[in-house]
């Protein structure tokens, strides 16, 4: 009953920031943890992996996804209606990412931001919802030109597959989840879309934070193999002491601004925009490239949005 009450409170708090957000469902039993990794400095990776700099600090010149060859299907859709469609996949964090990009990339600038995220989902929960199958069904109805992904908040638990229970971060867990992630990325790429993966922020609870760090390191490595930029959100959600803080300095004014909800898990609107500012910049560059390829003038630009 206590877990249910805490979940309802968390859902209510998040709803104050984003209508329709779900909550992160913690596992019924404590999952094995991995020792926390030290905070990374903005734009760096302690493992030397090919990561994208933290979102709000990502200048346009460091973008990677948008510099590849343009997919003919993306060009064809842009030629037809002049709109770049971005699909956002994920759990309740994905809902927040969608809302942030919706505000940063408005329709008036030639974007359509589609919410494919669903709360309380994850790669360990395929008995409840197969994310790959759902994505393929969604994209058959609505093809997209770019995809932004944020999963993991519900996956700090064992996974049952092939008649076996695989503990969190065990070799079996990594095999099952890794295969599901690979297939999922292939599914969201099926319409010619470029893809980004947004990592999770620091968590207030120490054990949960350790789990999130371990999983993000796994996701980061998986994205490197798949050629998908991984946005490391952690540096932008740590305070000057390298710890969780609901209030963080505004990047423009330096004044403390509330970024997190009271559950110690989710973020509020400006917090999500902090994580997606660099992705929004990248997507603007990408849209401009596609428009130039088909000879369409760019709509009058508006500011990318808050980069708190």
């Amino acid at each position: 009953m206590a877990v249910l009450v805490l979940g309802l409170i968390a859902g209510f708090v998040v709803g104050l920031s984003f209508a329709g957000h779900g909550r992160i469902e913690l596992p019924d039993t404590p999952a094995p943890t991995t020792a926390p990794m030290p905070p990374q400095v903005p734009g760096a990776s302690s493992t030397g992996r090919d990561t994208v700099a933290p979102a709000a600090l990502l200048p346009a010149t460091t973008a990677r996804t948008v510099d590849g060859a343009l997919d003919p299907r993306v060009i064809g859709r842009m030629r037809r209606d002049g709109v770049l469609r971005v699909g956002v996949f994920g759990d309740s964090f994905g809902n927040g990412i969608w809302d942030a990009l919706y505000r940063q990339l408005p329709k008036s600038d030639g974007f359509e931001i589609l919410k494919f995220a669903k709360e309380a989902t994850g790669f360990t929960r395929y008995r409840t919802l197969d994310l790959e199958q759902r994505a393929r069904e969604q994209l058959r109805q609505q093809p997209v030109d770019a995809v932004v992904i944020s999963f993991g908040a519900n996956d700090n638990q064992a996974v049952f597959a092939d008649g076996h229970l695989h503990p969190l971060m065990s070799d079996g867990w990594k095999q099952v989840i890794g295969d599901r992630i690979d297939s999922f990325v292939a599914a969201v790429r099926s319409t010619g879309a470029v893809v980004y993966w947004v990592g999770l922020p620091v968590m207030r609870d120490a054990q949960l934070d350790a789990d999130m760090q371990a999983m993000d390191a796994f996701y980061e490595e998986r994205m490197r193999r798949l050629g998908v930029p991984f946005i490391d959100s952690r540096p932008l959600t740590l305070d000057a002491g390298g710890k969780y803080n609901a209030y963080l300095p505004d990047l423009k004014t330096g004044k403390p601004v509330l970024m997190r909800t009271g559950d110690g898990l989710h973020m509020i609107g400006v917090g999500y925009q902090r994580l997606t500012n660099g992705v929004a910049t990248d997507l603007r560059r990408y849209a401009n490239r596609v428009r130039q390829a088909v000879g369409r003038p760019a709509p009058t630009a508006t500011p990318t949005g808050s980069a708190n």
Side-chain angles (χ1 to χ4, degrees), residues 235-305:
L236 284 177
T237 55
L238 293 169
D239 65 13
K243 298 180 180 180
Y244 173 94
N245 196 323
Y247 289 82
L248 297 170
D250 183 284
L251 295 180
K252 296 178 181 178
T253 67
K255 296 181 179 179
V257 175
L258 179 64
M259 299 283 177
R260 310 296 293 260
T261 62
D263 61 8
L265 306 172
H266 295 87
M267 308 191 77
I268 65 171
V270 293
Y272 285 112
Q273 290 181 42
R274 183 181 180 91
L275 305 186
T276 59
N277 189 65
V279 176
T281 299
D282 238 27
L283 290 173
R284 285 185 178 277
R285 291 184 61 228
Y286 181 54
N288 287 338
R289 281 193 65 210
V290 181
R291 290 189 185 102
Q292 290 172 7
V294 301
R296 274 187 173 270
T300 302
T302 60
T304 300

Side-chain angles (χ1 to χ4, degrees), residues 137-151:
E137 292 171 353
Q138 290 171 315
L139 293 173
R140 274 197 294 269
Q141 298 177 20
Q142 181 60 80
V144 297
D145 310 307
V147 166
V148 181
I149 305 168
S150 182
F151 276 110

Side-chain angles (χ1 to χ4, degrees), residues 6 14 17 19 113 177 212 246 302:
L6 289 174
V14 176
S17 176
I113 313 302
I177 301 305
M212 295 299 108
T302 60

